[in-house]
Amino acid sequence: RKEVEQDPGPFNVPEGATVAFNCTYSNSASQSFFWYRQDCRKEPKLLMSVYSSGNEDGRFTAQLNRASQYISLLIRDSKLSDSATYLCVVTTSETYKYIFGTGTRLKVLA
Amino acid sequence: GAGVSQSPSNKVTEKGKDVELRCDPISGHTALYWYRQSLGQGLEFLIYFQGNSAPDKSGLPSDRFSAERTGGSVSTLTIQRTQQEDSAVYLCASSSMDGAEAFFGQGTRLTVV
């Protein structure tokens, strides 16, 4: 089983739609969680950290479920510019090594 | 500099040659990561440096790959006797502390012909 798993997609959604991605992780000692965004042929950039209490940044909401070992990202009112690959990242308290999921591709359609 | 800097941005090399890829992390960042990304694929972890601790080399795919980090700052990834399957984008990232946000450089696109 991979340490971090994501549905690769692509998720094709119309503008204005709400879309949600999940990411599961296998190590219960995982400590820090992030969502990164990667545009085509660009480097990944931090979208948001994921806190235990959940957090929201504009149209984006991230949640953590430690019991079921998954994190989620919700995007409301999708824009064309949201089209990208969304990468789930997990670190553990043992190594702090960043472990990336393979990413979920999102295409927002006009 | 303000961000993570990688050089060269592009490198074309002949099969069998050695290459060196450089990463200048953000000043003061103690953690430095190297990843590899093949076209259309996810990020493959290569190596992780944290302060003065022994590096985590568990992701290096073969003994042709090695990396150093001098003075806790600049890092060099060396690939010896390059093969065509080494063609990929090599990404470097740094972070200020364990578990903090990592910032990526723009990568080095390596093409082995």
Side-chain angles (χ1 to χ4, degrees):
Chain A
R1 182 184 172 187
K2 290 183 181 178
E3 291 182 89
V4 179
E5 293 201 64
Q6 293 183 253
D7 181 341
F11 284 59
N12 297 323
V13 302
E15 273 188 291
T18 295
V19 62
F21 309 134
N22 279 347
C23 166
T24 59
Y25 59 93
S26 61
N27 189 336
S28 60
S30 297
Q31 180 112 354
S32 301
F33 308 88
F34 306 92
W35 283 102
Y36 274 71
R37 169 189 170 135
Q38 186 174 27
D39 292 296
C40 187
R41 300 175 79 85
K42 297 285 189 181
E43 75 275 18
K45 293 185 178 178
L46 180 71
L47 178 65
M48 58 198 306
S49 302
V50 186
Y51 304 124
S52 296
S53 56
N55 48 303
E56 187 173 313
D57 183 2
R59 298 181 294 107
F60 299 83
T61 300
Q63 291 194 317
L64 168 64
N65 185 318
R66 284 193 183 272
S68 299
Q69 295 184 196
Y70 75 84
I71 67 172
S72 64
L73 177 67
L74 182 77
I75 305 175
R76 290 181 298 278
D77 189 23
S78 299
K79 311 291 185 190
L80 293 176
S81 57
D82 294 334
S83 298
T85 297
Y86 291 84
L87 300 162
C88 167
V89 185
V90 173
T91 73
T92 71
S93 57
E94 293 132 349
T95 71
Y96 295 102
K97 181 172 70 181
Y98 262 51
I99 303 169
F100 280 82
T102 52
T104 298
R105 285 181 58 202
L106 172 66
K107 292 183 180 180
V108 181
L109 308 171
Chain B
V4 178
S5 177
Q6 291 188 246
S7 61
S9 53
N10 281 285
K11 175 73 176 178
V12 179
T13 190
E14 291 181 354
K15 179 180 172 181
K17 301 280 190 182
D18 298 352
V19 295
E20 283 190 354
L21 312 180
R22 178 186 168 104
C23 173
D24 281 274
I26 293 172
S27 178
H29 279 193
T30 57
L32 187 147
Y33 309 79
W34 282 99
Y35 291 87
R36 177 168 73 173
Q37 189 171 34
S38 300
L39 189 63
Q41 302 298 309
L43 275 74
E44 176 188 3
F45 167 77
L46 297 177
I47 188 168
Y48 165 50
F49 297 90
Q50 173 54 279
N52 296 320
S53 302
D56 178 349
K57 303 180 181 181
S58 60
L60 295 178
S62 77
D63 59 8
R64 297 187 295 104
F65 288 72
S66 62
E68 290 185 341
R69 189 177 184 191
T70 53
S73 180
V74 172
S75 177
T76 302
L77 177 69
T78 301
I79 308 173
Q80 295 178 312
R81 305 180 302 282
T82 51
Q83 304 295 312
Q84 287 187 327
E85 62 261 29
D86 299 335
S87 297
V89 175
Y90 289 81
L91 289 159
C92 174
S94 70
S95 68
S96 60
M97 58 183 286
D98 291 337
E101 171 190 356
F103 295 84
F104 281 82
Q106 293 187 322
T108 294
R109 185 173 300 277
L110 175 67
T111 304
V112 181
V113 297

